[in-house]
Amino acid sequence: MQIGIVGLGRMGGNIGRRLMRGGHSCVVYDHNPDATQALAAEGATGASDLGDLVTKLDAPRVIWLMLPAGKITEDTLGDLHKILGADDVVIDGGNSFYKDDIRRAAQFREQGVHYVDVGTSGGVWGLERGYCMMIGGEEEVVRRIDPILSVLAPHRGDIPLTPGREGRDPRVEQGYMHTGPVGSGHFVKMVHNGIEYGLMQAYAEGFHILKHKASTELPAEQRYDLDLADVAEVWRRGSVVSSWLLDLTAGALAHDGTLEHFSTEVADSGEGRWTIEAAIEEAVPAQVLSAALYTRFRSRDMEAFPERMLSAMRFGFGGHKEFPVK
């Protein structure tokens, strides 16, 4: 099957490579010509701009966007809206806000173009492991692009089948799911990333507790100088808290147990905020996910003014002296 790919960064380029390995034909474009040329050297057809990409694709076209959410995706879709024709398919595989998908799909529908949103998880490991995908769009269109999705998916691997799933959609066991109408794919991926924030925060706090068990503030007989890399490794082996995130944690700690070469400032990519907004709209409590998001905000507050205010209040009512050492 022929497909156009726009955006050849950490995930987009590898999506093209995995599709070519699976026998598909890729026409590719990135605003960085070097990225386009690199994939063209591996067998793809390079395009100089969006118009050139559309021209090189046979109608009805299938175009996959793998771009950062926000203005660049909005602008690119706006440009494609002007040059695509009836029955073409546009796929947004980035992390767009699901309400934007609903609006964009309505705009494309006016000219007979189909819009599909694909929440894509797999990161830089997707080339080898495959991509878990959550897909929103019309069932007929999703079925049409199934040859692409099935190659990108991770497949069953060595994960045992879940008892009681007989008669359910077999695509899910392959690692991809048609979640429902337009927007639902990115909505499910949005909540997936919100959960990811919570899981990551839980691991970080747990290991922080383990690390500080060696603190001299504790009685000597209660101090343990724990090897965090080994703790992470043993938890990977049969523990109920094992996960891919723990695998990555174990690898990082084995490389550098202090993690000093990593920044203390943690970014958020948007999905955590959108997940909390959805929880508010639905009046659903999400204490853990909210706290994880706010912790990321706090990591970027280098002045820690709120903590200073707490110290000032503690001194005011109780005489607790917490002035900085000079």
Side-chain angles (χ1 to χ4, degrees):
M1 187 171 181
Q2 188 189 48
I3 181 173
I5 302 176
V6 179
L8 306 175
R10 288 175 295 178
M11 289 182 70
N14 281 343
I15 283 174
R17 291 181 178 93
R18 188 170 174 92
L19 287 172
M20 288 190 293
R21 288 182 183 181
H24 294 288
S25 173
C26 296
V27 181
V28 301
Y29 166 69
D30 191 278
H31 72 280
N32 179 0
D34 292 340
T36 302
Q37 292 168 9
L39 215 61
E42 298 178 38
T45 299
S48 57
D49 54 37
L50 286 178
D52 186 34
L53 179 135
V54 169
T55 299
K56 290 177 176 176
L57 290 169
D58 299 329
R61 306 167 186 87
V62 177
I63 299 177
W64 183 300
L65 270 63
M66 206 65 194
L67 299 168
K71 188 176 186 303
I72 186 170
T73 295
E74 192 73 39
D75 290 348
T76 303
L77 288 169
D79 291 339
L80 287 173
H81 186 271
K82 301 171 186 175
I83 57 179
L84 291 181
D87 212 29
D88 288 343
V89 178
V90 175
I91 303 167
D92 182 0
N95 284 325
S96 290
F97 186 40
Y98 77 99
K99 292 182 181 179
D100 290 334
D101 292 319
I102 297 171
R103 170 180 54 80
R104 293 164 179 166
Q107 294 170 341
F108 277 106
R109 195 177 299 120
E110 293 176 355
Q111 67 187 78
V113 175
H114 308 285
Y115 183 98
V116 177
D117 56 289
V118 179
T120 310
S121 181
V124 297
W125 301 90
L127 176 60
E128 301 301 331
R129 292 172 59 111
Y131 301 90
C132 174
M133 293 171 290
M134 298 132 269
I135 305 134
E138 306 162 70
E139 174 65 28
E140 183 276 326
V141 177
V142 174
R143 290 285 182 186
R144 189 199 305 182
I145 62 174
D146 189 76
I148 294 167
L149 302 173
S150 63
V151 166
L152 291 176
H155 304 293
R156 289 181 180 176
D158 57 1
I159 300 175
L161 295 179
T162 301
R165 280 199 52 85
E166 295 80 6
R168 291 180 174 270
D169 188 345
R171 293 174 293 184
V172 175
E173 295 167 354
Q174 301 296 326
Y176 65 113
M177 173 185 178
H178 181 207
T179 53
V182 167
S184 65
H186 278 152
F187 182 80
V188 174
K189 177 57 162 48
M190 176 189 80
V191 177
H192 163 285
N193 282 23
I195 293 171
E196 182 181 294
Y197 280 34
L199 291 173
M200 293 171 70
Q201 186 64 29
Y203 282 127
E205 291 179 8
F207 276 91
H208 199 200
I209 295 169
L210 294 171
K211 181 177 186 295
H212 281 269
K213 191 57 175 169
S215 172
T216 55
E217 296 180 2
L218 294 171
E221 68 275 12
Q222 296 181 21
R223 299 175 201 159
Y224 305 137
D225 186 11
L226 300 167
D227 188 319
L228 301 189
D230 281 358
V231 171
E233 187 64 27
V234 77
W235 282 357
R236 293 181 61 215
R237 312 291 175 172
S239 163
V240 296
V241 299
S242 60
S243 72
W244 187 18
L245 288 172
L246 184 60
D247 294 346
L248 299 174
T249 300
L253 289 169
H255 183 264
D256 175 11
T258 67
L259 303 181
E260 289 182 353
H261 60 292
F262 289 100
S263 170
T264 58
E265 298 182 40
V266 185
D268 67 286
S269 55
E271 293 94 331
R273 303 187 191 203
W274 299 337
T275 300
I276 303 309
E277 289 174 5
I280 293 170
E281 291 175 355
E282 300 167 16
V284 172
Q287 299 96 318
V288 172
L289 307 191
S290 299
L293 175 64
Y294 295 148
T295 299
R296 294 195 179 199
F297 294 164
R298 175 56 54 80
S299 76
R300 305 195 288 272
D301 183 1
M302 300 306 290
E303 294 188 4
F305 178 78
E307 283 76 13
R308 295 182 182 182
M309 183 174 288
L310 289 174
S311 290
M313 287 187 280
R314 279 169 51 79
F315 177 74
F317 69 70
H320 305 286
K321 295 183 179 181
E322 297 174 332
F323 302 118
V325 177
K326 295 185 179 178

